[in-house]
Amino acid sequence: MSGVGRGQVLRVRGRGVAWLPPLLLLVAITAIDYNTAAEFRMISWVVLVPGIAAATCGVAGTAVFAALALVTYVVPDSSWPHQYQSGLPDFILAVLACAVRLRGERSMLHMRDVADTTRRTVLRPLPRVWGGLEHAEGYLAADSEARVGGDFYDIQPGPHGTRVLVGDVQGKGLGAVEETAALLGTFREAAYHEPALATVAERLEVRVRRHGGHVTALGHDDGDRFATAVLLGFPEADTGVVEAMVFGHEPPLVVGPSGVRPLLAADGPPPVHRVPLGPGETVLLTSDGVTEARDPAGEFYALAGDPRAVEPRRLVALVRDGTLGHCGGHLLDDTTVFAVRRADERAGKGRRPS
């Protein structure tokens, strides 16, 4: 893992050049010292070479440059035996500093791998066309180091059509991730087996209560954590409608060639709404990280689709970039942008997952 980390720092045309900065510095110092008077000992700066190598190279590379720097220093040092004695402790310290850096780097990369694996497990990768739906998603973490948060999404094909879930668990941290994993696990089973979308929603509600009871029994203080969500159903037998249920989440939009409109006429208690969905129309779902994004003046981001960008990937990019531009890159919350529409027959459907 440490080799990967170093390779990402200094590469030219795919080849590692981490050795180049310390080598150029060594050559430059030696050349300048050779061409200056004895009163100006530029060669003493050679101690910087292993320090630079420690920041860019591995332990072996740092040791090589430390040895080269030491030899380079000792040769002219022998001409002035009573001053500017070679700084061997400095070279040894540079090598040790490199070893400490690489150990920290390996630990950091390991933790990042763990976080990425957790994210792929909770938010599993989805094919671009899945269950007869074409989709795209964008996830923006409020914490630049974060890999997993409380936002979630998934698509589950099944015998009764394809179901889509997009939501947001209250709060952040491991507690939010645990509830997200519980909800997605329940959704993947219920969305596949249950004929009615309302029953899928009931299973999700029960799962939230069960998870809260379990967390409370463990003595944690976040057992009353809640989640908002949008649940969609795309019936296989009726391609002209989408079923929708909204649970306190940001209302979804429909973006199509004729314009942008709300998916639901009103946001109220979550019965199943059957809404006409025309050919080429895309359903846009976001978490509150989009609508709560503020500019320097404190104004909220006004979410709006663009009828010229109905293709899911273009639409997600438009909203994502608009959100980042509005808030200057300073997000207040984890942010999810999810766009989905029925796929073109030529794109393939992938109706039956294994």
Side-chain angles (χ1 to χ4, degrees), residues 24-256:
L24 292 177
L25 181 61
L26 179 63
V27 172
I29 291 174
T30 304
I32 294 173
D33 184 77
Y34 181 79
N35 289 282
T36 54
E39 291 77 12
F40 182 73
R41 292 299 311 280
M42 184 70 181
I43 197 64
S44 62
W45 290 23
V46 79
V47 73
L48 297 175
V49 171
I52 297 298
T56 60
C57 302
V59 173
T62 302
V64 169
F65 277 106
L68 287 174
L70 182 59
V71 170
T72 304
Y73 194 95
V74 168
V75 170
D77 189 48
S78 61
S79 302
W80 292 274
H82 303 296
Q83 56 182 334
Y84 308 114
Q85 295 301 305
S86 56
L88 181 59
D90 295 325
F91 300 131
I92 296 176
L93 181 61
V95 176
L96 293 177
C98 177
V100 172
R101 176 184 67 83
L102 291 179
R103 182 177 180 180
E105 183 181 83
R106 284 192 292 268
S107 177
M108 178 191 68
L109 291 174
H110 175 69
M111 294 302 298
R112 181 174 295 180
D113 284 345
V114 170
D116 286 339
T117 301
T118 302
R119 177 171 172 78
R120 287 193 301 270
T121 302
V122 176
L123 297 178
R124 59 180 180 177
L126 297 171
R128 186 178 66 85
V129 178
W130 183 234
L133 303 181
E134 180 185 3
H135 84 285
E137 71 278 343
Y139 177 79
L140 302 172
D143 182 354
S144 60
E145 297 298 323
R147 290 294 186 272
V148 187
D151 290 2
F152 57 89
Y153 51 82
D154 202 7
I155 298 176
Q156 182 58 59
H160 312 289
T162 301
R163 276 71 184 263
V164 175
L165 180 67
V166 175
D168 182 7
V169 171
Q170 175 198 19
K172 300 183 178 71
L174 292 179
V177 176
E178 289 174 357
E179 184 159 330
T180 294
L183 282 171
L184 287 175
T186 298
F187 168 74
R188 289 161 187 164
E189 292 301 310
Y192 183 89
H193 291 288
E194 298 295 344
L197 191 68
T199 307
V200 178
E202 290 174 4
R203 293 275 299 275
L204 292 172
E205 290 276 17
V206 170
R207 190 69 181 98
V208 170
R209 292 195 295 269
R210 289 175 55 203
H211 181 76
H214 177 256
V215 170
T216 300
L218 290 174
H220 300 166
D221 57 1
D222 57 350
D224 58 348
R225 190 188 299 270
F226 64 87
T228 64
V230 175
L231 181 61
L232 303 178
F234 291 82
E236 191 167 4
D238 191 350
T239 60
V241 301
V242 58
E243 299 176 334
M245 302 181 73
V246 179
F247 299 85
H249 200 74
E250 299 296 318
L253 299 175
V254 175
V255 182

